[in-house]
């Protein structure tokens, strides 16, 4: 996701305000919010029960809060092996001053004509930001997800709680998938099953025939964080000229009012299995523990009872009701970093795992080892890979423009 922040800031542009506002609320609409029951042994003699409860006291408390689904921050991914002299010479020859620079088009990004640019700017490191739960792999949205997105967006039962009514086929491809792949200030994860055979695909009922699924393979829905600042500091938190880029700290984000708003949806034939609940818990953890958000919000519509339950179940508190631009009332719920930590990491101090760490100035993927690729013409542009360096070099307004190289 970080690559989209950088590209858009350099002048690629955003999608229409109408689409941006509309996609802030994309409901799960599950008939039953999932998650395991609070911990316990399910019966047995009093003596054995008491002994077991004492032995698993910490785990029982954890299960009561989130069904035992709360993940953890992964280990830092190691740096790639050192380059050979031949590899270094190849890249230095390619990254010359005067190379043609490019912008990603605002529209038509999914078309074949833009595939080279998309593959250039969306580097392997950009695609590595993904999350896992016991049943799910939350990866970034891909070009091949068009059909999966369409099946959900075009289904009337889903549209009942969407803010934007019934989108057209062209809207699906451009306004939604385009945004999901290169959207500014967002992490958009495609929900997929680690083992599709463990997910039950319910009978389609009255769903439109083109929108039905028979297996739980591929794109099942999405869950995302739309990021914003209340008090954006001068120059924002993006890489700056003549400065080695470091991941901002939680304290810096708090001062800026770093807030995330969650939006999510899943295919109707998968409702009622706790799939969205499982994804919600992990994305909320990611937002607080890793992204560093001071506040995380969700704003379901008043008729979306399942989404409201999901918010309350995960410690979010109702704060206000506001009508959106489509004149539909939304119920705002939120949880602060401190509230989340007390609820989910009892007895532990708030930890800032990635803050202050040197990070690649293109992908800004804080989970990777500190960058080992240096620009040969300056001492402040550092990258985790040659692909990220090339993307920044070829991006209009990128490092080729700002480099100290004369």
């Amino acid at each position: 996701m970080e690559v989209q922040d950088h590209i858009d800031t350099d002048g690629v542009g955003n999608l229409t305000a109408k689409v941006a506002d509309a996609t802030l609320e994309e409901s799960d609409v599950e008939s039953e919010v999932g998650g395991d029951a609070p911990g316990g042994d399910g019966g047995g003699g009093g003596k054995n029960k008491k002994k077991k409860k004492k032995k698993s006291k910490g785990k029982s408390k954890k299960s009561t809060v989130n069904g035992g689904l709360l993940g953890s921050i992964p280990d830092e991914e190691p740096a790639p092996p050192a380059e050979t002299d031949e590899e270094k010479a190849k890249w230095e020859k390619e990254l010359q001053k005067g190379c043609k620079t490019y912008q990603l088009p605002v529209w038509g990004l999914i078309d074949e004509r833009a595939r080279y640019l998309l593959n250039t700017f969306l580097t392997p490191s950009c695609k590595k930001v993904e999350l896992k739960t016991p049943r799910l792999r939350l990866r970034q949205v891909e070009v091949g997800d068009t059909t999966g997105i369409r099946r959900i967006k075009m289904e009337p039962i889903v549209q009942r709680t969407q803010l934007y009514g019934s989108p057209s086929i062209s809207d699906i491809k451009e306004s939604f998938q385009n945004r999901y792949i290169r959207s500014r200030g967002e992490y958009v994860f495609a929900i997929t099953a680690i083992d599709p055979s463990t997910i039950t695909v319910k009978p389609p009922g009255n769903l439109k025939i083109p929108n039905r699924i028979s297996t739980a393979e591929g794109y099942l829905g999405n869950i995302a964080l739309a990021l914003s600042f209340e008090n954006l500091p001068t120059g924002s938190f993006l890489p700056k000229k003549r400065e080695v880029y470091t991941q901002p700290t939680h304290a810096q984000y708090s001062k800026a009012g770093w807030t995330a708003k969650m939006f999510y949806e899943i295919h109707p034939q998968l409702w009622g299995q706790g799939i969205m609940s499982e994804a919600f818990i992990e994305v909320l953890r990611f937002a607080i523990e890793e992204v560093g958000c001071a506040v995380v919000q969700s704003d379901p519509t008043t008729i979306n009872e399942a989404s409201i339950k999901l918010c309350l179940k995960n410690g979010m508190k109702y704060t206000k009701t506001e009508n959106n631009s489509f004149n539909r009332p939304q119920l705002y719920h939120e949880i602060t970093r401190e509230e989340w930590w007390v609820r989910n990491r009892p007895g532990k101090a708030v930890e800032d795992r990635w803050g202050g760490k040197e990070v690649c100035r293109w992908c800004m993927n804080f989970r990777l080892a500190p960058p080992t690729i240096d620009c040969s013409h300056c001492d402040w542009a550092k990258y985790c890979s040659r692909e990220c360096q090339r993307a920044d070099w070829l991006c209009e307004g990128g490092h080729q423009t700002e480099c100290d190289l004369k």
Side-chain angles (χ1 to χ4, degrees):
M1 278 312 145
E2 292 80 4
V3 62
Q4 289 85 349
D5 282 352
H6 196 166
I7 292 173
D8 278 340
T9 301
D10 287 335
V12 175
N14 300 313
L15 301 180
T16 63
K18 178 179 179 181
V19 174
D21 290 339
T23 50
L24 287 178
E25 165 58 27
E26 299 179 68
S27 171
D28 167 17
V29 205
E30 286 188 326
S31 58
E32 175 185 345
V33 176
D36 297 334
D41 68 355
K47 185 176 180 181
N48 291 336
K49 181 177 180 181
K50 184 176 180 181
K51 184 177 180 180
K52 184 174 182 180
K53 184 176 182 181
K54 183 178 180 180
K55 183 178 179 180
S56 58
K57 183 177 179 181
K59 292 185 178 180
S60 178
K61 186 172 183 179
K62 179 180 178 182
S63 296
T64 301
V65 174
N66 52 56
L69 296 174
L70 185 66
S72 59
I73 299 174
D75 292 334
E76 179 182 275
E77 185 171 327
E83 291 180 319
T84 64
D85 291 341
E86 291 77 14
E87 289 172 331
K88 184 174 181 180
K90 169 188 171 295
W91 282 106
E92 294 296 338
K93 183 178 180 180
E94 181 175 345
L95 303 176
Q96 295 292 321
K97 192 74 169 179
C99 291
K100 180 177 175 57
T101 58
Y102 303 89
Q103 282 188 348
L104 279 178
V106 175
W107 306 106
L109 175 62
I110 314 302
D111 294 340
E112 285 297 326
R113 291 173 297 177
R115 189 64 57 86
Y116 166 75
L117 295 179
L118 182 61
N119 291 338
T120 297
F121 291 129
L122 200 60
T123 68
S125 297
C126 296
K127 298 177 183 178
K128 283 184 178 179
V129 181
E130 63 176 48
L131 310 175
K132 287 188 177 180
T133 72
R135 293 183 293 173
L136 309 174
R137 173 184 172 228
L138 309 179
R139 59 160 173 80
Q140 294 190 30
V141 177
E142 300 172 351
V143 172
D145 292 330
T146 304
T147 300
I149 297 172
R150 175 188 56 75
R151 285 172 176 159
I152 299 173
K153 299 290 186 189
M154 300 298 289
E155 179 51 45
I157 193 174
V158 176
Q159 294 170 355
R160 185 173 66 90
T161 55
Q162 289 175 339
L163 304 183
Y164 39 81
S166 178
S168 67
I169 294 296
S170 61
D171 286 336
I172 299 298
K173 194 171 184 180
E174 288 289 5
S175 299
F176 291 104
Q177 190 172 6
N178 189 4
R179 174 189 177 186
Y180 294 166
I181 289 178
R182 53 77 58 85
S183 53
R184 177 175 179 167
E186 294 177 337
Y187 288 88
V188 184
F189 297 102
I191 300 173
T192 67
I194 295 175
D195 180 359
S197 67
T198 64
I199 305 294
T200 300
V201 178
K202 297 181 178 180
N206 295 325
L207 266 61
K208 290 185 175 182
I209 293 177
N211 299 336
R212 298 176 181 181
I213 59 174
S214 58
T215 70
E217 296 181 357
Y219 180 98
L220 307 178
N222 71 67
I223 182 166
L225 297 170
L227 307 174
S228 64
F229 295 96
E230 289 184 4
N231 308 299
L232 186 64
T234 302
S236 78
F237 290 122
L238 294 175
K240 299 177 179 63
K241 185 176 181 178
R242 296 194 177 92
E243 291 184 15
V244 174
Y245 182 69
T246 58
Q247 176 68 14
T249 65
H250 284 191
Q252 290 174 307
Y253 280 152
S254 293
K255 186 175 181 180
W258 188 228
T259 299
K261 185 176 292 184
M262 299 181 71
F263 61 86
Y264 37 88
E265 65 183 4
I266 196 168
H267 194 280
Q269 286 177 254
L270 305 174
W271 293 353
Q273 301 182 63
I275 294 174
M276 187 56 74
S277 182
E278 193 170 319
F280 192 101
I281 290 168
E282 174 60 10
V283 173
L284 182 56
R285 182 208 64 77
F286 176 71
I288 296 291
E289 287 193 317
E290 298 193 65
V291 179
C293 298
V295 178
V296 181
Q297 300 176 332
S298 181
D299 54 358
T301 55
T302 53
I303 63 173
N304 194 346
E305 296 181 2
S307 187
I308 295 170
K309 287 181 181 179
L310 192 59
C311 295
L312 297 175
K313 176 184 174 182
N314 286 282
M316 290 186 170
K317 299 175 181 178
Y318 166 78
T319 58
K320 62 181 179 179
T321 300
E322 282 189 0
N323 282 1
N324 54 47
S325 58
F326 296 85
N327 203 32
R328 291 189 182 184
Q330 291 179 263
L331 305 179
Y332 279 73
H333 296 73
E334 68 177 39
I335 187 170
T336 66
R337 181 192 299 136
E338 290 72 22
E339 290 170 340
W340 183 91
W341 214 274
V342 168
R343 176 184 171 84
N344 294 281
R345 307 293 188 199
K348 294 184 178 181
V350 176
E351 178 187 0
D352 186 355
R353 175 68 174 84
W354 309 119
K357 169 186 173 181
E358 281 193 17
V359 180
C360 173
R361 66 186 295 107
W362 177 257
C363 70
M364 295 184 275
N365 187 344
F366 44 73
R367 286 181 165 187
L368 305 181
T372 57
I373 304 295
D374 300 329
C375 175
S376 60
H377 308 294
C378 64
D379 59 1
W380 49 269
K382 299 178 182 294
Y383 305 92
C384 67
S385 68
R386 288 293 188 179
E387 288 82 5
C388 281
Q389 183 183 19
R390 176 174 59 189
D392 199 15
W393 192 257
L394 298 182
C395 180
E396 187 168 303
H399 186 59
Q400 185 179 169
T401 303
E402 65 184 6
C403 184
D404 296 331
L405 174 64
K406 302 299 182 182

